[in-house]
Amino acid sequence: MARIRGATTEEYFANVPAELRPRARQLHRTLVQALPRAQVQIKWGQPAFVDGTILVSYAVFAKHINLYTTPSSREALAGELAGHRTGKGSIQLPHDAPLPIGLIRRVAAARAEEYLEHGVLWMS
């Protein structure tokens, strides 16, 4: 699958393969609920949740969705991320497992908190 991109959220979802679209929309809705102050913007062709700075973003791939956050917020939840493949600032959510909704909410909350209370900017 080629890298999925879009100029708008609607275009992004239109470019996600139909069989993965419900999963991507579920992740998106979870983030909207978890980050009610954030606006959804397109950054690097993918949805990003912004409230003064980028809080989180995500990208759909053939075998997983990458949830992008800051390294510090990912590290703060390291114990909860056991069993998930992670990168410096990313968490892989494989398509062959249910979305960990609670974990996604905690990642979003941790990221919002680190920005609002400590001023941690995107990838700083």
Side-chain angles (χ1 to χ4, degrees):
M1 168 178 9
R3 181 162 180 205
I4 298 169
R5 293 180 174 265
T8 65
T9 304
E10 296 77 22
E11 184 177 304
Y12 186 85
F13 282 120
N15 291 331
V16 171
E19 67 275 10
L20 301 177
R21 207 169 294 140
R23 182 177 180 78
R25 287 193 185 281
Q26 181 184 18
L27 172 64
H28 189 88
R29 282 191 308 274
T30 300
L31 292 170
V32 166
Q33 292 168 352
L35 300 167
R37 294 175 26 136
Q39 294 181 334
V40 180
Q41 299 177 6
I42 297 296
K43 304 286 187 185
W44 315 284
Q46 65 196 38
F49 289 75
V50 179
D51 182 13
T53 189
I54 298 170
L55 298 176
V56 296
S57 68
Y58 65 88
V60 178
F61 293 93
K63 295 184 180 186
H64 66 276
I65 297 175
N66 261 1
L67 177 61
Y68 299 103
T69 186
T70 56
S72 52
S73 64
R74 189 193 57 74
E75 289 168 10
L77 296 168
E80 294 187 57
L81 295 173
H84 291 277
R85 292 188 74 184
T86 60
K88 181 178 176 183
S90 65
I91 303 161
Q92 284 189 9
L93 307 172
H95 296 313
D96 63 357
L99 281 175
I101 300 300
L103 177 62
I104 293 164
R105 287 182 180 139
R106 288 187 295 281
V107 167
R111 177 62 189 118
E113 179 182 339
E114 87 171 353
Y115 171 66
L116 293 172
E117 294 184 14
H118 305 288
V120 177
L121 299 175
W122 181 249
M123 297 301 168
S124 59

